[in-house]
Amino acid sequence: MPDLTKLAGPLDVGGVRLRNRVFLAPMSGITDEPFRQRAHAHGAGLVVTEMVASGELAKGRAGFNLRIRHSGLPVHMVQLAGREAMHMAEGARIAAGEGADIIDINMGCPAKKVTGGYAGSALMLDLDHALSLIDAVVGAVEVPVTVKMRLGWDEGALNAPMLARRAEQAGVSMVTVHGRTRCQFYQGKADWRAIARVKEAVSIPVVANGDVSSPAEAADILDQSGADAVMIGRAHYGAPWIAGGIAAAATGEATPNMPRDSTAVADYIVAHYEDMLALYGAESGLRQARKHLGWYLDRHAGGVADDSRKAILTAFEPARVIALLRDVFSRDPQPLNLRSAA
């Protein structure tokens, strides 16, 4: 069995105590309030809001308050993205005013619409500018500030250790490193050993991220990187319990609040769907929920007929979507793919 014991212990981040060391990664358009609440209920040690554009937040753009709203969880962590120090500082102040316990700065997003605006991982091309944003955020709030980054822009500029070291000197309390460069996007295999160079460069906690979806992979990434914690993103598609399941495996316990049969899974999905409708309103919530419904069907109802799947993902009446979901899971119960649930 892999050694998972390190993951079970608490972690202190700038005075904020986290219950374990298996985290849900911030994912744009995914880790909204309903998703974070579920991941936390299943035992994730930390959950993070989806990336919030600091400029839009600072300007008071409608809807952005929902992304930073406190959801009642013990630790509220907000991730900000941007390229202007003034906006990053103001965004951090607004988030802290809404109850954020930790502010994370996004320096790792590879999306062209983000890097094209010289934010996200594009900041790793200019560490002096990146540090000006860190200084602005650290100076604006009293809560701990963290940074999420990649290994570098490309293989010729693997400067994550330098960025992490300068970030620590600027007052950052923790860094998370995705084991790919920006130019790799999500291709190939994350380089877990490369994260070790960041761990060697700093004394603050380092979180390893990239290609983890099971207890064995969590143990391996810790072993190869020497990191203090693990952050998991895409493995949560259709399975908000993955981080909690790995944390539970570290203590030999069962994952809390797990659906264990097809009827319970249907109830779970419907509740998630209804929470999204309540948060966003029926029209917007229906659209935003479709990706989640697709992932749930892929993972737990792989044998669903194409016409049933299409009907669920294209219907405009919430009652019909719910009826179709329940029908899929009651008519021909599917074996559940509850990976990392035990």
Side-chain angles (χ1 to χ4, degrees):
M1 282 289 292
D3 182 10
L4 296 169
T5 55
K6 184 177 180 180
L7 295 173
L11 180 67
D12 183 271
V13 178
V16 177
R17 188 175 178 84
L18 308 179
R19 61 181 176 177
N20 64 57
R21 300 176 182 226
V22 191
F23 306 156
L24 169 69
M27 291 180 282
S28 184
I30 299 170
T31 53
D32 58 10
E33 184 175 310
F35 200 96
R36 297 196 308 274
Q37 287 175 329
R38 281 162 175 75
H40 174 79
H42 293 307
L46 179 67
V47 299
V48 191
T49 69
E50 57 185 309
M51 177 180 66
V52 180
S54 60
E56 303 298 331
L57 181 61
K59 295 172 185 176
R61 181 176 172 183
F64 276 71
N65 60 316
L66 289 179
R67 300 187 185 184
I68 66 166
R69 187 175 74 177
H70 201 299
S71 56
L73 301 180
V75 178
H76 181 43
M77 184 170 179
V78 173
Q79 187 186 70
L80 297 176
R83 66 177 185 274
E84 301 291 342
M86 176 180 65
H87 289 155
M88 289 292 288
E90 181 61 18
R93 282 190 286 267
I94 293 170
E98 290 291 325
D101 300 291
I102 304 173
I103 304 291
D104 186 60
I105 302 175
N106 184 311
M107 295 190 176
C109 180
K112 291 181 179 179
K113 66 179 181 180
V114 176
T115 59
Y118 302 103
S121 55
L123 293 168
M124 299 191 75
L125 290 169
D126 185 346
L127 296 193
D128 288 340
H129 183 59
L131 264 293
S132 73
L133 303 185
I134 293 172
D135 287 336
V137 174
V138 170
V141 295
E142 297 296 325
V143 301
V145 175
T146 63
V147 176
K148 190 171 190 293
M149 64 185 73
R150 288 200 163 214
L151 296 176
W153 179 259
D154 57 27
E155 291 295 329
L158 300 177
N159 56 0
M162 183 181 299
L163 174 57
R165 184 164 51 247
R166 294 184 64 180
E168 179 182 24
Q169 293 169 351
V172 161
S173 298
M174 181 177 76
V175 296
T176 299
V177 186
H178 182 109
R180 289 182 174 86
T181 66
R182 183 272 173 182
C183 290
Q184 285 180 279
F185 285 87
Y186 295 100
Q187 298 175 346
K189 182 74 172 67
D191 187 349
W192 296 343
R193 294 189 185 281
I195 300 173
R197 293 193 284 274
V198 178
K199 177 61 182 172
E200 293 166 358
V202 298
S203 59
I204 54 177
V206 173
V207 184
N209 174 225
D211 295 343
V212 174
S213 62
S214 69
E217 289 165 343
D220 284 347
I221 197 173
L222 284 183
D223 180 61
Q224 294 185 35
S225 68
D228 303 279
V230 175
M231 182 171 279
I232 304 167
R234 292 170 294 154
H236 285 95
Y237 291 0
W241 49 77
I242 291 293
I246 292 173
T251 60
E253 300 174 356
T255 310
N257 303 305
M258 279 297 302
R260 296 290 178 180
D261 56 45
S262 57
T263 299
V265 168
D267 291 341
Y268 185 98
I269 296 170
V270 168
H272 189 175
Y273 181 64
E274 291 177 332
D275 284 351
M276 292 190 72
L277 297 180
L279 178 66
Y280 297 111
E283 183 177 350
S284 177
L286 187 146
R287 293 195 307 271
Q288 296 194 52
R290 284 173 175 161
K291 56 181 173 288
H292 293 284
L293 298 183
W295 291 327
Y296 281 129
L297 291 172
D298 289 343
R299 189 179 285 258
H300 310 296
V304 62
D306 289 344
D307 57 345
S308 294
R309 178 188 172 86
K310 181 178 179 181
I312 290 170
L313 300 182
T314 59
F316 286 95
E317 302 81 20
R320 175 164 170 74
V321 173
I322 291 170
L324 289 167
L325 284 168
R326 292 198 182 281
D327 182 60
V328 163
F329 286 98
S330 64
R331 178 181 54 201
D332 182 21
Q334 303 290 325
L336 303 187
N337 182 7
L338 302 181
R339 190 175 184 188
S340 301

